Amino acid sequence: MAKGEYKTWLQKDNLTKLRAWARDGFTNEQIAKKMGIARSTLQRWVKDYKEISDALKRGKEVVDAEIEDSLISTMQKHTLTTTQYKMVKKDSMVLKAERQKFANVYKLEHPDATKMQILIATAENIPVYEQIPMIKTVTEVDPNVSSMIFWLKNRKPELYRDQTFKKLNEANARKALADAGISEAQLKAIKDADNPENATVVVDDISKLKELRDKNADSPTK
């Protein structure tokens, strides 16, 4: 690319393009590709030429502002209006008048256009059918709790983010202690069940009871 190519992007129309691309959410890398230059070149131009820097900055600020407005709107109770349309064929006289009017204007703006070009342009811009609103629905929308939490965590982290994490950590710690207590109790129960001294012997014969007594008496004392 020619060394002086940056001058082309300092023109009003091209600065408008840059603002539009930034407003549409394109990254600097994507914008550079659209411009036909390397990203490093764009970064250098942004640094060296205030016009290019301002165009990209203002475009992105518009996007940020629009997104912020949209986020704020979801945090407030609002109404959502939807409209259903029906495609209806235009009245023949109305259609003819609209196309004649368009053709006259097109001729003035394009004096070299042929008759066929005028007819094509008229057909493309003045359709036969039009949308007629049929049903309009208004719905009450409650505030979005997730949006509110996101906003508060980022706007007031000292009050919300830390407290949230602290409570979560405390809850996890309590759960871990509870789980550990349950595990120890289960282990003790298993050990007690395996200990012969804790076994219960049921004897339903007097002779066997005497035999068991004598056996215990002969056993050495621990």
Side-chain angles (χ1 to χ4, degrees), residues 12 15-26 28 31 46 50-66:
K12 184 178 179 180
L15 289 174
T16 300
K17 276 187 183 180
L18 294 179
R19 281 193 295 271
W21 289 337
R23 187 172 60 249
D24 289 341
F26 288 105
N28 279 2
I31 291 174
V46 167
K50 187 174 183 300
E51 296 90 338
I52 295 177
S53 175
D54 288 347
L56 295 176
K57 182 179 179 182
R58 288 175 186 173
K60 291 177 181 179
E61 286 176 350
V62 171
V63 176
D64 291 342
E66 290 176 348

Side-chain angles (χ1 to χ4, degrees), residues 45-93:
W45 288 0
V46 167
K47 182 179 179 181
D48 294 342
Y49 307 107
K50 187 174 183 300
E51 296 90 338
I52 295 177
S53 175
D54 288 347
L56 295 176
K57 182 179 179 182
R58 288 175 186 173
K60 291 177 181 179
E61 286 176 350
V62 171
V63 176
D64 291 342
E66 290 176 348
I67 292 175
E68 186 173 347
D69 287 343
S70 179
L71 177 64
I72 292 173
S73 70
T74 65
M75 293 188 291
Q76 302 169 341
K77 189 168 184 176
H78 58 285
T79 58
L80 180 65
T81 303
T82 57
T83 305
Q84 295 182 12
Y85 294 89
K86 182 178 180 180
M87 297 299 293
V88 178
K89 192 173 183 178
K90 294 179 181 177
D91 178 82
S92 58
M93 295 298 293

Side-chain angles (χ1 to χ4, degrees), residues 99 102 118-128:
R99 289 190 165 180
F102 178 86
I118 295 172
L119 288 174
I120 293 173
T122 303
E124 289 176 343
N125 289 274
I126 309 297
V128 176

Side-chain angles (χ1 to χ4, degrees), residues 1-3 5-6 32 35-49 52:
M1 179 168 287
K3 186 176 180 180
E5 187 68 20
Y6 74 89
M35 296 169 69
I37 61 176
R39 181 181 178 182
S40 57
T41 302
L42 177 58
Q43 289 176 329
R44 187 172 70 252
W45 288 0
V46 167
K47 182 179 179 181
D48 294 342
Y49 307 107
I52 295 177

Side-chain angles (χ1 to χ4, degrees), residues 131-151:
Q131 287 185 334
I132 302 297
M134 299 295 292
I135 302 174
K136 181 178 288 187
T137 305
V138 179
T139 307
E140 289 281 344
V141 181
D142 290 328
N144 187 299
V145 177
S146 297
S147 297
M148 297 168 70
I149 293 173
F150 174 82
W151 180 270

